[in-house]
Amino acid sequence: MLNSFEVKRDTFTISTDPSRLDLDAICGFLARAYWASDRPRDRIERSLANSLAFGLYDGTKQIGLARVVTDYATFAWLCDVFIDEAYRGRDLGKWLMDSVLSHPDLQGLRRWLLATRDAQLLYSQFGFEPLKNPERWMQKYNG
Ligand SMILES: CC(C)(COP(=O)(O)OP(=O)(O)OC[C@H]1O[C@@H](n2cnc3c(N)ncnc32)[C@H](O)[C@@H]1OP(=O)(O)O)[C@@H](O)C(=O)NCCC(=O)NCCS
């Protein structure tokens, strides 16, 4: 798989280079996120090591994240989408989404999934829609 995906805009870079990920910054993001505020650091580290993480950087400072759990063939789960509060409302979230969905190794998948409390109108701009047959879906939720 490619490990060199990178796009630039002004002072900003989106990169999937794992060596650029700033674990302290990411733990800070997730501590402030409603879905992961109690996720331990070692779980975060393991999750990053085993998925395709897109870091968003202003210069060298990490200011955003999106994480994709995928088999690179049929399916991808998009999660941990976060933009630093100081950088919100500047189209960076949309650029991050666009970059994730245009990654060359994530083309032709049968299905993308995500869960969101209130950002439906962000994701619907990129083709996501509510489950058509939610009764066919099940989950085993461990909190
Ligand atoms: C959601 C988030 C990633 C958006 O990033 P951003 O850089 O501020 O967003 P952008 O400037 O690219 O614009 C987002 C677009 O989605 C829309 N939107 C819909 N729901 C939204 C929400 N809950 N929060 C932010 N934007 C939302 C905005 O109106 C905007 O659309 P528009 O330009 O057509 O008006 C960012 O606000 C964030 O990190 N929020 C906290 C964490 C979070 O909720 N993540 C998503 C979890 S599923």
Side-chain angles (χ1 to χ4, degrees):
M1 295 299 156
L2 284 182
N3 246 341
S4 55
F5 180 87
E6 184 175 292
V7 284
K8 288 179 179 289
R9 176 183 287 181
D10 306 321
T11 60
F12 301 109
T13 305
I14 292 172
S15 168
T16 59
D17 180 351
S19 72
R20 291 194 64 169
L21 294 171
D22 179 343
L23 186 60
D24 287 338
I26 293 168
C27 289
F29 297 160
L30 295 180
R32 307 198 293 278
Y34 64 83
W35 64 90
S37 57
D38 59 354
R39 192 178 300 169
R41 186 182 178 93
D42 62 323
R43 287 263 159 193
I44 294 173
E45 195 167 15
R46 201 191 318 174
S47 73
L48 293 167
N50 292 292
S51 46
L52 180 63
F54 290 73
L56 168 63
Y57 305 89
D58 183 4
T60 57
K61 181 187 176 204
Q62 185 158 4
I63 58 155
L65 175 75
R67 189 165 67 82
V68 179
V69 183
T70 182
D71 62 6
Y72 295 101
T74 66
F75 172 77
W77 168 256
L78 175 64
C79 57
D80 295 344
V81 176
F82 194 95
I83 303 289
D84 187 293
E85 290 82 347
Y87 289 87
R88 289 184 190 166
R90 295 162 61 173
D91 289 346
L92 292 169
K94 287 189 287 187
W95 183 42
L96 184 56
M97 278 301 300
D98 192 55
S99 301
V100 166
L101 293 171
S102 64
H103 189 290
D105 289 342
L106 299 176
Q107 303 310 303
L109 306 182
R110 177 173 168 81
R111 179 172 277 122
W112 285 80
L113 275 182
L114 63 79
T116 185
R117 186 174 67 185
D118 58 14
Q120 287 84 353
L121 291 178
L122 166 61
Y123 300 115
S124 64
Q125 297 182 37
F126 295 91
F128 285 83
E129 56 187 6
L131 294 175
K132 283 222 169 66
N133 306 101
E135 71 284 356
R136 294 187 181 186
W137 294 80
M138 297 178 75
Q139 66 173 345
K140 180 167 155 52
Y141 187 64
N142 296 316

